[in-house]
Amino acid sequence: MRRLALVAGLAVLLGGCGSAAETAKNPQPSDSRPRVRQVNVGDAVVLAGVDDANGTGTLRMAVKVKNVVATAIGRGAFEKPRKGERFAAVRFVFKNMGATPYHDSPTFGAKVIDSAGHGYDPTVATVSAGPPFPRVMSLVRGQVRSGYIVFAVPRAAKIVSVQYALNAGYAPELGEWRVPPRAPARTPPTPRVG
């Protein structure tokens, strides 16, 4: 009985994930590596994707990582990371630069990478740092939208880069933003007596 409930729950979970990922016709995964465009946090990069008619390169989005919140606080009383983890939030800005309308889930295709080379996919949570993206976002040429994507990462993990690719991560181009190291906390000077 327990196994049946687990299988049913997994089917519902996967069914819900699939519907958002299928909002755009995403290309099939290929063996070729995507072209990586490296920039710094705060810089924008124009990424190409595949439109609904499978026209490669016709979907063009300027994507910027505006900032990275290394430790973000969950917005609701029940939005807390699991034991040993913390929430990290990344503010993305998207602008449609091409003639093809964008209609997809902006969350799929995002990833943060730590100093050990481990990658972390987004989690479902909202944080006090700012508003999330809608489940499905539509942008026509020239439209801009920003929001936060949240990741659950180990407490000790040091995020060194953020990655993003259109078409749920299967587009031929990948943006990678280098995260500057955090400055150590400054301690106030000790007052002199006498």
Side-chain angles (χ1 to χ4, degrees):
M1 185 66 166
R2 191 170 162 203
R3 180 177 280 178
L4 181 60
L6 180 62
V7 169
L10 185 58
V12 168
L13 179 64
L14 291 176
C17 291
S19 61
E22 292 169 2
T23 56
K25 289 191 176 184
N26 295 321
Q28 293 297 317
S30 72
D31 292 336
S32 63
R33 294 174 127 323
R35 183 174 142 226
V36 179
R37 316 258 323 267
Q38 286 190 326
V39 292
N40 294 316
V41 167
D43 295 333
V45 63
V46 177
L47 298 174
V50 177
D51 68 11
D52 286 345
N54 215 19
T56 303
T58 58
L59 179 62
R60 295 178 54 76
M61 296 283 288
V63 182
K64 178 192 284 189
V65 168
K66 187 91 170 169
N67 67 311
V68 177
V69 180
T71 301
I73 308 300
R75 186 172 279 168
F78 297 105
E79 293 190 280
K80 298 190 183 309
R82 292 181 296 203
K83 185 177 179 180
E85 293 183 336
R86 71 177 195 277
F87 287 146
V90 178
R91 183 176 174 204
F92 283 89
V93 180
F94 293 92
K95 180 177 183 179
N96 189 339
M97 304 295 286
T100 301
Y102 173 84
H103 185 74
D104 204 351
S105 171
T107 304
F108 295 105
K111 189 173 282 219
V112 293
I113 310 296
D114 70 12
S115 57
H118 297 116
Y120 304 93
D121 293 322
T123 189
V124 179
T126 57
V127 293
S128 59
F133 284 105
R135 186 171 179 211
V136 176
M137 182 172 75
S138 296
L139 295 176
V140 296
R141 183 182 180 98
Q143 281 189 311
V144 178
R145 187 85 182 249
S146 72
Y148 281 88
I149 297 177
V150 181
F151 304 84
V153 299
R155 284 189 193 275
K158 179 183 172 191
I159 298 170
V160 295
S161 68
V162 177
Q163 295 180 343
Y164 193 84
L166 295 169
N167 303 115
Y170 295 117
E173 293 183 335
L174 174 75
E176 183 172 56
W177 290 263
R178 292 179 289 268
V179 177
R182 288 189 294 180
R186 295 175 62 184
T187 55
T190 307
R192 296 180 104 178
V193 179

